[in-house]
């Protein structure tokens, strides 16, 4: 019997995705470059599921029914190209390769063209939800041709997470649309994680709260407007105790945040496309700063920060408001980026559908998405409309208070303040860019526009200067 689908790459994601597919009743052939991993997977995890192990790429391809459908869950980057090259001699026109890794969207663009020229169908599919999601139901963001999508639609719908609004999978759009959207998902994820971390930092440094007390607060917040996977896991993290020392584990973790690049790619794409994703960008910058642990330790000796610890429950409410404010703006900046990219790259995105797919299975699933979906079709690209501005205004005093407390106590809050400044700039009729234009014209003859007449103007700025 031939397998209905094949999967290459049996690390964390591949193993769990293969099991998920098999448990939905599909026969899956699997292959991994290092054969011992395939054997280990079979010995430790496969318990009668319809999974066929293969140890040679040709055997793997031959074990699949035609047109072949092959999901790659290998490391993003050259491993994807190597695997495609190794597969190509064994494939026939009309076969499909799905790259389920976190590939850069421009790599996906290139691979799409390369494979199309060889008659091979290709989908670049964002997969969110980590190992748990891969096994129990991820959020899936497949992009490429609709014809390619239709070949695997039934399987993807079955394995995806489910919400009251349907399976967390949809055809995202043309060519690299799936990986672009997954990249923006991760950019939003970076910003919300950093905003939560800043709130946590204020709770411990300014309010003197202990880990379990903070866990109680995040748990409570998770019941309301802030209901989300990231707030939920923050509460669980804060409650976890280190078995060896009996201390909260979070207090023992080194404060250096790693990254695999998707947040940076989001910021780069946003700058290239001219979209102001301030909160997302600052989250990436702060992870970079966290890496300079040695420098930070030394410099902290030069600036002694006096902090007045005040137990003030009133401040907790303000922190909650600031987090809601920043969460909304992290999403709305990501939506703006997707809207612009969709036009620029001809993706044909339906952003409401993208948001629906993010309602379950993925890391940024949250109650806020329902509100975003209510406004997404009637507001502009950036989602700042009548309704959302009224919503944000409700939390403005909270953010002001939180930033004041952070400044008084010299606690860095880059994403909370970036969100606040973004909102202020976006709602400011007059920005000081007139002065910047004058400076540019002064030193570089770049010209400027005037508010009282049409045209491009240039002045000899030295003339008449005394
Ligand atoms: P990794 O990203 O750690 O990749 C390991 C897999 O890639 C192994 O199967 C390895 O085979 C294979 N591989 C490598 Br490395 N180089 C190869 C090559 N030149 N040719 C063939 N295979 C090669 O695995 P992962 O963490 O399961 O992630 C898989 C993909 O899913 C990545 O793109 C990742 O970014 C994405 N993703 C991960 C998560 C997560 O939570 N981990 C979430 C969402 C998306 P080997 O065994 O022979 O070395």
């Amino acid at each position: 019997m031939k397998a209905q689908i094949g999967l290459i790459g049996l690390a964390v994601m591949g193993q769990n995705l293969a099991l998920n597919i098999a448990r939905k009743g599909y026969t899956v052939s699997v292959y991994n470059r290092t054969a011992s991993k395939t054997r280990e997977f079979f010995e430790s995890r496969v318990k009668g599921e319809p999974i066929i192990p293969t140890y040679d790429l040709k055997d793997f391809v031959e074990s699949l029914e035609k047109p072949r459908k092959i999901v790659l869950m290998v490391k993003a980057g050259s491993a994807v190209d190597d695997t495609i090259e190794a597969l190509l001699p064994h494939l026939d026109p009309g076969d499909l390769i799905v790259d389920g890794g976190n590939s850069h969207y421009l790599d996906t663009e290139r691979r799409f063209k390369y494979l199309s020229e060889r008659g091979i169908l290709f989908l670049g599919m964002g997969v969110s939800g980590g190992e748990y999601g891969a096994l129990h139901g991820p959020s899936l963001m497949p992009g490429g041709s609709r014809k390619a999508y239709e070949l695997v639609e039934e399987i993807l719908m079955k394995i995806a997470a489910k919400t009251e609004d349907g399976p967390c999978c949809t055809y995202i759009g043309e060519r690299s649309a799936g990986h672009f959207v997954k990249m923006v998902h991760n950019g939003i994820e970076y910003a919300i994680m950093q905003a939560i971390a800043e709130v946590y930092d204020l709770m411990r440094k300014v309010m003197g709260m202990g880990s379990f007390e903070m866990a109680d607060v995040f748990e409570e917040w998770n019941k309301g407007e802030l209901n989300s996977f990231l707030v939920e896991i923050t509460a669980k993290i804060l409650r976890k105790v280190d078995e060896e020392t009996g201390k909260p584990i979070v207090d023992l973790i080194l404060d250096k945040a790693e990254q695999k690049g998707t947040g940076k790619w989001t910021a780069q794409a946003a700058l290239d496309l001219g979209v102001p994703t301030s909160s997302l960008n600052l989250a990436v910058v702060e992870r970079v700063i966290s890496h300079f642990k040695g420098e930070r330790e030394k410099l902290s000796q030069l600036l002694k920060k006096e902090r007045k610890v005040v137990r003030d429950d009133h401040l907790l409410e303000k922190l909650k408001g600031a987090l809601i404010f920043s969460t909304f703006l992290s999403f709305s900046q990501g939506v703006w980026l997707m809207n612009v990219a969709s036009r620029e790259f001809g993706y044909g995105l339906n952003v409401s559908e993208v948001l629906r797919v993010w309602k379950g299975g993925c890391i940024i699933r949250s109650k806020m998405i329902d509100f975003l979906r209510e406004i997404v079709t009637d507001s502009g690209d950036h989602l700042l409309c009548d309704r959302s501005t009224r919503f944000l205004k409700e939390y403005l005093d909270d953010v002001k208070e939180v930033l004041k407390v952070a400044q008084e106590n010299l606690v860095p809050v880059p994403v909370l303040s970036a969100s606040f400044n973004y909102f202020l700039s976006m709602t400011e009729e007059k920005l000081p860019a007139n002065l910047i234009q004058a400076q540019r014209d002064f030193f570089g003859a770049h010209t400027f526009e005037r508010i009282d007449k049409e045209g491009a103007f240039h002045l000899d700025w030295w003339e008449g200067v005394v």
Side-chain angles (χ1 to χ4, degrees):
M1 198 177 99
K2 300 263 185 193
Q4 287 143 299
I5 190 161
L7 186 142
I8 299 181
L10 289 175
V12 187
M13 293 298 283
Q15 288 193 15
N16 287 298
L17 209 60
L19 285 167
N20 183 357
I21 299 171
R23 286 174 189 172
K24 297 294 176 308
Y26 298 98
T27 306
V28 195
S29 265
V30 293
Y31 171 84
N32 193 70
R33 180 183 60 171
T34 309
S36 58
K37 297 235 180 100
T38 311
R39 280 191 207 98
E40 274 165 37
F41 171 55
F42 264 77
E43 280 158 21
S44 62
R45 300 201 61 194
V46 180
K47 306 271 182 279
E49 287 92 351
I51 301 182
I52 304 170
T54 65
Y55 298 94
D56 172 273
L57 212 48
K58 187 163 173 286
D59 293 345
F60 167 77
V61 173
E62 281 174 3
S63 72
L64 302 172
E65 67 179 31
K66 292 185 185 177
R68 300 168 182 108
K69 302 157 201 83
I70 299 169
V71 179
L72 309 187
M73 290 308 293
V74 300
K75 197 178 174 71
S78 59
V80 178
D81 291 312
D82 293 349
T83 310
I84 289 174
E85 283 309 314
L87 272 172
L88 271 179
H90 307 294
L91 299 182
D92 294 316
D95 286 346
L96 166 67
I97 297 176
V98 182
D99 174 14
N102 273 336
S103 293
H104 192 286
Y105 73 98
L106 291 177
D107 283 337
T108 302
E109 198 72 26
R110 169 177 57 77
R111 289 171 190 141
F112 181 83
K113 184 166 177 289
Y114 179 75
L115 289 169
S116 301
E117 286 163 4
R118 284 153 184 79
I120 304 296
L121 298 170
F122 184 59
L123 289 174
M125 180 169 75
V127 178
S128 177
E131 64 176 305
Y132 183 90
L135 182 63
H136 298 285
S139 172
L140 298 173
M141 294 151 252
S145 71
R146 200 175 270 280
K147 185 178 160 202
Y149 172 70
E150 281 165 5
L151 281 182
V152 279
E153 181 176 22
E154 184 196 297
I155 300 179
L156 298 183
M157 287 297 192
K158 284 257 172 65
I159 64 166
K162 310 287 182 304
T163 71
E164 68 282 6
D165 291 334
C168 295
C169 175
T170 192
Y171 170 67
I172 296 288
E174 299 295 331
R175 306 181 325 281
S176 57
H179 277 144
F180 191 93
V181 162
K182 173 63 185 352
M183 176 190 78
V184 176
H185 164 287
N186 286 25
I188 296 170
E189 176 186 304
Y190 273 52
I192 299 175
M193 287 168 74
Q194 176 64 30
I196 292 174
E198 290 170 15
V199 165
Y200 150 81
D201 211 21
L202 287 168
M203 283 179 182
R204 63 176 179 171
K205 290 178 181 161
V206 175
M207 298 183 68
M209 290 174 73
S211 192
F212 297 152
E213 282 177 290
M214 292 189 266
D216 290 342
V217 173
F218 280 105
E219 215 166 78
E220 196 51 39
W221 287 359
N222 193 41
K223 294 178 188 157
E225 303 96 309
L226 280 170
N227 174 262
S228 62
F229 175 71
L230 285 170
V231 169
E232 181 190 340
I233 64 163
T234 301
K236 292 195 190 311
I237 289 165
L238 291 166
R239 224 177 266 299
K240 188 95 175 163
V241 170
D242 174 45
E243 283 178 11
E244 252 177 80
T245 60
K247 292 180 180 164
I249 186 78
V250 73
D251 294 342
L252 301 171
I253 298 177
L254 184 68
D255 54 331
K256 270 168 91 168
E258 298 295 336
Q259 50 176 318
K260 282 196 170 166
T262 41
K264 180 183 77 179
W265 297 346
T266 311
Q268 286 171 331
L271 291 171
D272 285 344
L273 289 167
V275 181
T277 52
S278 317
S279 311
L280 281 52
N281 301 7
L282 263 291
V284 180
V285 172
E286 198 60 9
R287 281 202 195 186
V288 176
I289 292 182
S290 81
H291 252 248
F292 294 93
K293 177 73 176 170
E295 277 81 350
R296 290 192 285 115
E297 272 172 353
K298 271 188 239 144
L299 290 168
S300 69
Q301 300 306 313
L302 304 182
L303 181 67
K304 284 280 169 221
K305 294 173 180 165
E306 300 294 329
R307 287 183 181 135
K308 206 169 64 219
V309 173
V310 187
R311 296 305 301 241
D312 178 6
D313 283 350
H314 163 83
L315 183 57
L316 276 181
E317 269 310 296
K318 307 274 169 196
L319 286 170
K320 179 181 170 191
L323 190 53
I324 294 172
F325 183 90
S326 207
T327 300
F328 177 89
L329 288 171
S330 302
F331 270 111
S332 67
Q333 290 165 22
V335 167
W336 191 353
L337 178 55
M338 290 193 292
N339 278 322
V340 172
S342 183
R343 271 199 305 278
E344 193 73 20
F345 303 141
Y347 284 153
L349 297 185
N350 175 340
V351 175
S352 174
E353 268 294 278
V354 170
L355 290 168
R356 184 188 66 74
V357 165
W358 289 351
K359 281 192 63 171
C362 75
I363 307 298
I364 58 173
R365 59 184 185 260
S366 73
K367 193 176 155 82
M368 183 76 77
I369 291 179
D370 284 330
F371 177 51
L372 294 160
R373 292 191 73 218
E374 282 171 27
I375 60 171
V376 75
T377 39
D378 300 329
S379 51
D381 279 357
H382 46 62
L383 297 191
L384 290 178
C385 56
D386 232 27
R387 206 170 144 202
S388 57
T389 307
R390 256 186 285 126
F391 170 80
L392 290 166
K393 266 161 65 181
E394 271 181 45
Y395 299 106
L396 209 50
D397 284 341
D398 294 345
V399 191
K400 275 161 58 181
E401 183 73 24
V402 166
L403 295 185
K404 201 171 111 199
V405 169
Q407 280 173 9
E408 276 169 359
N409 289 281
L410 302 178
V411 178
V413 282
V415 166
L416 296 181
S417 38
S419 303
F420 180 69
N421 283 314
Y422 168 89
F423 185 61
L424 293 192
S425 291
M426 285 297 293
T427 51
E428 186 66 38
E429 190 191 349
K430 271 195 176 185
L431 287 173
N434 50 332
L435 181 61
I436 292 169
Q437 280 301 81
Q439 290 164 337
R440 292 179 73 245
D441 189 56
F442 194 123
F443 61 70
H446 294 300
T447 75
F448 54 89
E449 289 178 278
R450 295 177 56 122
I451 57 172
D452 53 352
K453 44 185 166 181
E454 292 281 313
F457 297 87
H458 168 60
L459 286 183
D460 179 354
W461 292 90
W462 289 109
E463 196 186 273
V465 175
V466 282

